[in-house]
Amino acid sequence: MTTASGEPLHEFGTKHITGGLSRLTEGIMVKGSGSYVTYEDGRTYLDFTTGIGVTNLGHCHPKVSSAAAAQCMNIVHSQCSIALHEPYARLIEKLLPIMPHPSLDSFFFWNSGTEAIEASIKMARLFTGRQNIICMQGAYHGRTYGAMAVTRSKTVYSQGAAPLMPGVYSIPFPFWHQQRVSPTTDAEKLAAESLYQLDLLFAQQSAPQDTAAIIIEPVLGEGGYVPAPPAFLHGLRKVCDKYGIMLIVDEVQSGFGRTGKFFAIEYSGVKADILVIAKGLANGFPLSGVISRKELTDKLMPGTMGGTYAGNAVACAAAVAVVDAFKAENVLDNAQARSLELFAFLNSLKGDPNLAPNILDIRGAGLMVGIEFASPAGVGGDYDPAKNPSSPKAMASRVTKKCQEKGMLLLTTSAFEVVRFIPPLNVSSEDLWKGCQIFEEAVRDVVREG
């Protein structure tokens, strides 16, 4: 591929695209189909990144793409402040029955996850008349200023950009790294410690009467693919009920079947006051949602919410087709079956005496699975429970690079040595096994090289 002047298109694009972007691969991706992607030079990869958990039904799902194409021939843009379009209302009709709690009955659709987080924070402050927000260490919520302020997974996202939104405080997520304990520490103990830290925060930093919301991912995404123990989520719900605080549940990555249920919060049964969704909602078309209770949202003044492209008609039509496909194709059943296979495989690697010293933890839910390796230095130096002087350096990034060389795209995540599996939820058993074999070869290569 070349420009009109004959310059290679990839070189041209790389030269003129903002340096703040990073890319996993070189070259131009030209086609996606199911679990595979193809580049202009003919390279084909098994894609276990799914656009970072976006194409949950695989690339170019025929029903979703057809629905979007058909909508393009009717109306592409019916701005939300001018008129309601049919796909917007149809999408609400499809989503209402699958909401994790019946109280979630008022919808606002926007474009991206970070915008939806911004809206959720704004809503929480308007609903409560309070300012302060409590977030989790290790959380990722986005790169715009409000979302960036509650993001605590890596400093790179806000480095040099201060001052950020004020009134934000954090507590340790119930994750062994955050509390500097063994990876085998009981989940109930982790939950109790984090809830204790919340009590201290209320006593020392932000009084409950000044606190608008607690925001949490039920499964940490960029923070390391760590599910929140149900005891912790129930504890947060109890605290929020006691003090009139909004519980914002960020399901941008963990939602839409990624964990084997439509929403990860379903595993605990905890009610969200505000639910944030995006990524897999429209299988690649930009769409997010903020869902709350009508009794609350009816108090918002008209014009409080909005946006030029909010709830785009084509994206909403795609999302309607996504919900239909989930049900017609038993996608959740497949995700749960493949999850059992993936966990069994990864645990077999952890049980291999040649690999075991380098594998600290296997965690996640459904097809949102993380595997953490030991590090010779550790993020926390001598104090890091993940430190193992005999383990290879930079193991996670080296493993994903080896996987790429062998024909599979895989991502790292967090400040720790974590590789994340995010294959399509409708991935076949054969393709999952193919990916597992590539991963095992990559891990053994890196361990052997040291």
Side-chain angles (χ1 to χ4, degrees), residues 56-57 98 254-264 266-267 322-323 325-340 366-367 425-426:
N56 283 0
L57 295 177
I98 64 172
S254 61
F256 259 73
R258 179 48 57 189
T259 65
K261 292 184 180 290
F262 266 112
F263 301 100
E266 294 178 56
Y267 284 102
V322 166
V323 181
F326 261 86
K327 295 180 178 180
E329 298 170 19
N330 298 315
V331 172
L332 293 180
D333 290 342
N334 188 76
Q336 291 164 6
R338 301 293 80 76
S339 176
L340 292 174
L367 289 176
L425 303 181
N426 53 3

Side-chain angles (χ1 to χ4, degrees), residues 288-320:
S288 61
V290 188
I291 306 103
S292 188
R293 302 195 299 275
K294 195 171 186 297
E295 66 185 76
L296 294 175
T297 60
D298 278 353
K299 299 176 183 178
L300 296 172
M301 291 188 297
T304 305
M305 297 290 130
T308 299
Y309 299 106
N312 172 264
V314 177
C316 285
V320 169

Side-chain angles (χ1 to χ4, degrees), residues 201-243:
L201 190 152
F202 283 143
Q204 298 173 328
Q205 300 182 65
S206 177
Q209 294 77 14
D210 294 328
T211 304
I214 298 173
I215 183 168
I216 186 170
E217 301 162 276
V219 182
L220 277 188
E222 179 69 13
Y225 275 37
V226 189
F232 182 63
L233 295 170
H234 281 282
L236 293 182
R237 181 70 266 172
K238 184 177 179 180
V239 166
C240 289
D241 287 340
K242 180 178 180 180
Y243 295 118

Side-chain angles (χ1 to χ4, degrees), residues 67-123:
Q71 183 61 39
C72 282
M73 302 309 294
N74 291 319
I75 190 164
V76 170
H77 179 59
S78 169
Q79 205 279 333
C80 61
S81 298
I82 295 174
L84 176 67
H85 55 74
E86 182 182 357
Y88 198 116
R90 293 292 182 197
L91 181 54
I92 295 173
E93 182 184 23
K94 297 290 183 180
L95 291 178
L96 267 173
I98 64 172
M99 283 293 101
H101 194 274
S103 64
L104 296 169
D105 60 357
S106 180
F107 295 76
F108 169 58
F109 296 120
W110 220 347
N111 309 295
S112 68
T114 189
E115 287 173 303
I117 291 295
E118 297 280 351
S120 73
I121 292 171
K122 183 178 182 178
M123 283 182 181

Side-chain angles (χ1 to χ4, degrees), residues 340-405:
L340 292 174
E341 294 171 1
L342 179 55
F343 272 103
F345 167 77
L346 293 175
N347 281 309
S348 72
L349 292 188
K350 190 178 180 183
D352 186 322
N354 295 317
L355 303 178
N358 304 298
I359 299 176
L360 293 175
D361 201 9
I362 296 164
R363 55 184 181 252
L367 289 176
M368 186 176 181
V369 180
I371 177 167
E372 181 168 348
F373 300 111
S375 168
V379 173
D382 291 340
Y383 303 102
D384 193 338
K387 183 178 179 179
N388 180 355
S390 64
S391 289
K393 293 181 181 179
M395 193 163 173
S397 60
R398 289 170 64 190
V399 166
T400 57
K401 185 175 181 181
K402 292 277 187 185
C403 286
Q404 187 176 323
E405 292 169 358

Side-chain angles (χ1 to χ4, degrees), residues 17 23 56 73 100 116 121 143 149 156 182 187 197 229 234 245 256 274 285 289 294-295 311 315 319 321 365 410-411:
I17 290 173
R23 280 175 294 280
N56 283 0
M73 302 309 294
I121 292 171
R143 290 178 173 90
V156 67
S182 164
Q197 292 297 324
H234 281 282
I245 296 169
F256 259 73
I274 303 174
F285 290 87
K294 195 171 186 297
E295 66 185 76
L410 204 61
L411 289 166

